Amino acid sequence: MESLGFMDSPGTVTSPTTGEPASGVATVHPVAPPRDDPFANWTPSEVTQKLVNSNVRWGFMAGILMIALGLTGLGYWIYQQPSLAVEAAHDDLLDSAQILQPSIEAVLAVDTAAAGSDVSEQLVLINADARSLFNVAGALPTTLNDERSIAADIAGQALEGSRILNDAYAYRSAVLPILVVPDFETDPALITLDDAAATFGLWQTHFQDVIAALPAGMMNELEGELTLISGNLEVLQTRYLDALRTDNPGGVAIVVHELNTSLADAEMLFHVEFDEMSTIAQAQFIKALESINLLFG
């Protein structure tokens, strides 16, 4: 067998020249044993769940979700801030108007001609509350321009009504005392000329000082009447003293009567013009209340 070139057993035939395996002869490699498939007996859903559970970090995902929700909430909060600011400003405006309203209604409910310190206290409140409303209106955002305009009208009307009524009361406090009939002695036997001249002169000086201090243009007809009386006092004083000097009680009585009549006429003019000023002030207050109602819509 060997002489014929055959081998008794199979093997690797080498080339007689190179010593490498002869061409055409297969090389046998060892076969690796089969590996166990861990998912061989699992259903697709079980495989998916296993992969998810082993690869996903749930705590990390929960943290990411919390951050996302927080950022979303923050963004929404920031988005809402302008509208919330507008709403808060509008509420402040309504609150200021509601504070002002009762003081105006209290003044309108009384007889201003007969009222005194109680109305003056309400006017102080009106001034303070109206200025507060004006300041609140000035701070409103541009989206509330209509409300700002209405609020400015309310404050302006309330302040104007308060100013007019305050002026009327101040005028009354100054003028009414000098319009009281002076207590001049009419019996020549009961007063000396020096005392009579001093009494009349002191009253005249006070009267003219008050007239000079009154603001112009408030009660025009009354101011004209008071000016005439003041200009006639020198003549009345001379006539009064002459009647006393000549022991003329009738002449003294005539002078005092003329003065009293002039003062009574001036007082009547005062009440007429005071009522006119009160009416104008009340009209302003009524407009302010109407504007408040418009503001609440």
Side-chain angles (χ1 to χ4, degrees):
M1 294 287 290
E2 292 180 353
S3 62
L4 295 176
F6 291 98
M7 302 295 295
D8 289 338
S9 60
T12 302
V13 181
T14 59
S15 170
T17 57
T18 63
E20 296 294 328
S23 175
V25 181
T27 302
V28 178
H29 297 283
V31 178
R35 297 172 57 186
D36 293 334
D37 184 359
F39 302 111
N41 297 322
W42 290 18
T43 63
S45 61
E46 291 174 329
V47 174
T48 302
Q49 186 64 39
K50 177 66 176 176
L51 292 174
V52 169
N53 289 338
S54 62
N55 294 324
V56 177
R57 298 180 182 178
W58 289 108
F60 176 76
M61 291 300 296
I64 292 296
L65 180 60
M66 292 293 292
I67 293 174
L69 290 175
L71 291 176
T72 301
L74 177 62
Y76 183 71
W77 180 82
I78 295 174
Y79 171 77
Q80 279 192 317
Q81 288 313 294
S83 60
L84 292 176
V86 170
E87 183 178 350
H90 187 259
D91 290 342
D92 289 344
L93 182 68
L94 296 183
D95 290 342
S96 296
Q98 283 183 322
I99 293 173
L100 173 62
Q101 184 174 0
S103 298
I104 296 177
E105 292 174 342
V107 172
L108 290 174
V110 302
D111 180 7
T112 53
S117 60
D118 52 341
V119 173
S120 296
E121 292 175 0
Q122 293 297 332
L123 293 178
V124 172
L125 292 177
I126 288 174
N127 282 338
D129 295 340
R131 294 182 189 281
S132 176
L133 176 62
F134 190 83
N135 291 335
V136 172
L140 290 177
T142 56
T143 54
L144 295 176
N145 281 337
D146 291 343
E147 288 79 359
R148 179 193 291 116
S149 178
I150 296 173
D153 288 342
I154 295 171
Q157 291 155 355
L159 289 172
E160 180 65 7
S162 178
R163 181 194 66 79
I164 293 172
L165 207 51
N166 267 319
D167 287 348
Y169 283 129
Y171 211 94
R172 183 177 69 178
S173 297
V175 170
L176 285 185
I178 67 173
L179 298 182
V180 175
V181 175
D183 188 17
F184 292 153
E185 181 58 61
T186 59
D187 187 348
L190 300 178
I191 191 171
T192 65
L193 286 177
D194 289 342
D195 290 341
T199 300
F200 197 103
L202 287 174
W203 179 86
Q204 178 182 355
T205 299
H206 177 65
F207 184 91
Q208 291 175 332
D209 287 344
V210 171
I211 299 303
L214 291 175
M218 186 175 297
M219 296 185 180
N220 293 325
E221 293 187 22
L222 176 61
E223 290 169 15
E225 182 68 16
L226 293 176
T227 300
L228 289 175
I229 294 172
S230 179
N232 195 37
L233 289 180
E234 291 291 342
V235 174
L236 288 177
Q237 183 185 41
T238 300
R239 289 172 55 196
Y240 173 69
L241 295 176
D242 285 346
L244 291 175
R245 184 182 302 107
T246 59
D247 195 17
N248 181 6
V252 173
I254 291 174
V255 173
V256 172
H257 176 72
E258 289 180 4
L259 178 59
N260 291 346
T261 300
S262 297
L263 295 177
D265 291 343
E267 185 177 358
M268 290 181 61
L269 283 176
F270 164 79
H271 288 298
V272 170
E273 296 198 84
F274 181 89
D275 289 343
E276 291 177 353
M277 292 182 69
S278 297
T279 299
I280 295 173
Q282 289 172 351
Q284 292 295 318
F285 289 142
I286 291 173
K287 288 181 180 178
L289 290 182
E290 292 173 348
S291 298
I292 290 175
N293 293 332
L294 180 62
L295 186 63
F296 280 90

